[in-house]
Amino acid sequence: MTSHLVLGILNGDDIGHEIVPAAVSVTKAAAVITGLEIDWRPMPIGRSALDTHGSTFPEGTMETLAKMDGFILGPIGHQAYPKVPGAINPHPIMRKGFNLFANVRPTKSFPGLGAIHENIDLVIVRENNEGFQPDRNVVAGSGEFRPTEEMTISVRVITRTGSSRVAKAAFEIARQRKKRLTLVHKNTVFKLGCGMFVEECYRVGKEFPDVTIDEVIVDTMAMRLIRDPQSFDVIVTTNMFGDILTDEAAGLVGGLGMAPGLCIGEGNLAMAQATHGSAPDIAGKGIANPFAMIESTRMMIEWLGHNRGIPQAIEAAAIMEKAIASALANPATRTRDIKGTTDTKGMTEGIITALH
Ligand code: ATP
């Protein structure tokens, strides 16, 4: 019998080897309860794949993933890769190759975890494939170059297509929530670049008359996220602004371990990827907070459930949501970075126990 979903498991580097297996075991347990059949396909990637396959991104990875419904990508610690030909950063290749242009990053406060405010529940939708990121805003070469020894030029790419498609993804999310979308930009300075982004957002907004739009300049947003984050629901912004604001938002609710993410695009493939990096400083100690990775995977299951019309997946995501909240409510089943007393394994087991 064929499975409902075929999902890739790519551990990534450092704490990826701890938190990705945690996400898989929680999802497996939820799937058994709801009758969701998942065909899991572990694949090599990262530093360990360099040793075993001669590349951090072995040949054929994209082709194999393209046949799946989605995959979990653990954090990639590419900064620490040795400077050898096979050591490349797979992120931009995957995001571009699968056209994963929308990075959906929720921020939610849970009581007792050290959040700066209670009742924070917002989603930042970050454009993922253009903007200021020089590793992905051009098809060849880099979006940064140095014409003379004392001058560097960094190019920011904004397109109508890139802006309108991420806007559409954000409006769709806003429609399922409180029907409010905040555009974050700086068109006071980037009159053409941010100007185009804003224009496209309003153009797309005409298809979503039920969603109210407002705008906040990015520097004001940095301040307002600290002072009144509860006044926002869904936010859409360009790549670099989104990158910075999502880390800031994570800081509001307990740190990077609390920052999940889902990358989606025009195609059918979804990629679960936590906001945080590979945290080499705590790798191998068994203390990493698995929440972001587990929640990213849960978001993927939920998204695929709706996208493919699989009720067992929607139900699995729903029971995972409750179990995660229940484990987070108890210091004995949450990690130390979020005022808990246990480790990665203890928190994972706590969530699995709460599923039943
Ligand atoms: P990148 O640039 O790849 O996103 P980064 O520079 O933002 O990486 P991280 O690897 O995310 O850095 O780590 C930043 C800090 O947050 C480190 O002190 C790390 O230990 C901590 N951290 C990150 N993820 C987790 C986690 N899941 N659990 C606990 N601490 C974490």
Side-chain angles (χ1 to χ4, degrees):
M1 189 186 150
T2 54
S3 302
H4 294 114
L5 294 173
V6 180
L7 298 178
I9 306 172
L10 293 90
N11 277 359
D13 295 304
D14 302 315
I15 62 165
H17 295 288
E18 298 155 53
I19 59 175
V20 173
V24 173
S25 56
V26 170
T27 312
K28 275 186 180 167
V32 168
I33 295 169
T34 69
L36 172 68
E37 281 155 25
I38 305 177
D39 180 355
W40 294 98
R41 308 262 176 96
M43 291 176 65
I45 197 159
R47 185 66 186 83
S48 58
L50 184 65
D51 297 335
T52 55
H53 292 71
S55 171
T56 56
F57 195 45
E59 236 183 277
T61 302
M62 291 295 282
E63 293 73 12
T64 309
L65 289 174
K67 296 188 196 115
M68 299 185 187
D69 295 289
F71 59 97
I72 304 175
L73 178 64
I76 299 289
H78 63 94
Q79 291 93 341
Y81 290 167
K83 303 278 172 274
V84 295
I88 46 171
N89 177 9
H91 278 160
I93 305 169
M94 288 173 155
R95 285 170 174 169
K96 272 249 154 176
F98 294 128
N99 210 2
L100 299 167
F101 55 78
N103 195 343
V104 183
R105 292 179 161 181
T107 297
K108 194 169 176 179
S109 58
F110 292 87
L113 266 61
I116 292 172
H117 302 277
E118 299 300 337
N119 306 319
I120 302 172
D121 185 4
L122 58 87
V123 177
I124 299 178
V125 183
R126 164 194 175 195
E127 198 292 318
N128 218 11
N129 276 349
E130 51 185 39
F132 243 134
Q133 265 72 356
D135 60 354
R136 72 191 77 148
N137 66 7
V138 290
V139 287
S142 161
E144 273 201 313
F145 55 100
R146 184 164 297 173
T148 70
E149 213 16 76
E150 61 146 33
M151 180 199 298
T152 300
I153 298 178
S154 303
V155 179
R156 179 177 188 236
V157 176
I158 301 290
T159 64
R160 291 202 183 275
T161 306
S163 303
S164 64
R165 64 192 182 184
V166 74
K168 188 158 188 272
F171 274 108
E172 271 161 9
I173 293 167
R175 185 171 260 176
Q176 287 156 26
R177 292 174 50 106
K178 293 184 185 156
K179 301 189 184 347
R180 279 196 47 222
L181 182 66
T182 304
L183 318 181
V184 172
H185 58 80
K186 192 152 174 116
N187 69 359
T188 44
V189 175
F190 293 98
K191 292 187 193 310
L192 297 181
C194 282
M196 180 180 281
F197 177 75
V198 172
E199 257 174 53
E200 289 306 312
C201 287
Y202 278 107
R203 198 190 311 275
V204 173
K206 291 199 184 111
E207 296 164 35
F208 296 83
D210 49 324
V211 177
T212 310
I213 308 174
D214 63 353
E215 294 175 42
V216 179
I217 301 294
V218 65
D219 38 348
T220 306
M221 189 69 200
M223 183 271 293
R224 288 195 54 194
L225 263 187
I226 306 280
R227 296 196 61 90
D228 62 334
Q230 301 96 332
S231 63
F232 298 103
D233 193 56
V234 182
I235 292 163
V236 65
T237 191
T238 50
N239 200 340
M240 179 72 80
F241 295 161
D243 190 27
I244 298 166
L245 291 176
T246 48
D247 268 31
E248 184 187 346
L252 283 175
V253 296
L256 282 172
M258 296 305 294
L262 180 69
C263 294
I264 50 173
E266 252 149 22
N268 278 328
L269 195 83
M271 173 171 92
Q273 187 191 27
T275 295
H276 59 74
S278 66
D281 54 332
I282 57 164
K285 296 184 181 161
I287 58 169
N289 180 351
F291 170 82
M293 200 69 256
I294 295 172
E295 176 62 14
S296 304
T297 308
R298 192 201 70 76
M299 288 167 67
M300 175 170 73
I301 298 289
E302 185 175 48
W303 188 84
L304 288 170
H306 287 293
N307 183 275
R308 309 282 201 272
I310 308 169
Q312 294 93 332
I314 297 169
E315 201 192 330
I319 65 169
M320 281 171 78
E321 187 171 21
K322 284 201 189 111
I324 292 167
S326 148
L328 285 174
N330 182 354
T333 48
R334 62 186 194 229
T335 47
R336 292 186 184 85
D337 58 307
I338 45 171
K339 299 191 187 297
T341 57
T342 192
D343 53 12
T344 313
K345 194 163 168 273
M347 182 158 165
T348 307
E349 282 167 3
I351 297 172
I352 292 173
T353 306
L355 281 169
H356 294 281

